Amino acid sequence: MMKIMVLLHSAVGTGWQAPPKGSSLKTLYEAQEQGYVEIRGEFQKRQFRLTEMGAETVERDRRRLKARES
């Protein structure tokens, strides 16, 4: 789950974007299977975007982390 959260937090908005360096296909597919992201393209042109559920998960986690800092 930790690798998936790193992937989700790396997303900038909900538009199509390249996955961060070091993200494996396995992590992308696991995030897709769990409903957090959509994937398109092949090989070096692969892109992902957050689903509504993924965006909500990231926002909730960011609020949780901010509350822990306070």
Side-chain angles (χ1 to χ4, degrees), residues 12-66:
V12 179
T14 56
W16 290 105
Q17 54 205 287
K21 296 250 189 239
S23 293
S24 69
L25 287 176
K26 183 178 178 183
T27 301
L28 280 171
Y29 286 127
E30 286 177 4
Q32 183 181 37
E33 286 176 3
Q34 294 180 26
Y36 295 124
V37 300
E38 295 176 354
I39 302 171
R40 74 174 183 188
E42 294 182 12
F43 307 110
Q44 287 81 17
K45 296 182 181 182
R46 182 157 288 139
Q47 295 181 317
F48 81 105
R49 71 176 175 189
L50 295 176
T51 61
E52 186 176 325
M53 184 174 104
E56 289 172 2
T57 300
V58 170
E59 188 56 39
R60 186 171 45 250
D61 195 52
R62 285 184 177 147
R63 284 193 309 265
R64 182 186 63 82
L65 291 172
K66 188 174 181 178

Side-chain angles (χ1 to χ4, degrees), residues 2-17:
M2 188 63 139
K3 290 180 182 181
I4 291 175
M5 290 307 292
V6 170
L7 174 70
L8 298 181
H9 277 272
S10 74
V12 179
T14 56
W16 290 105
Q17 54 205 287

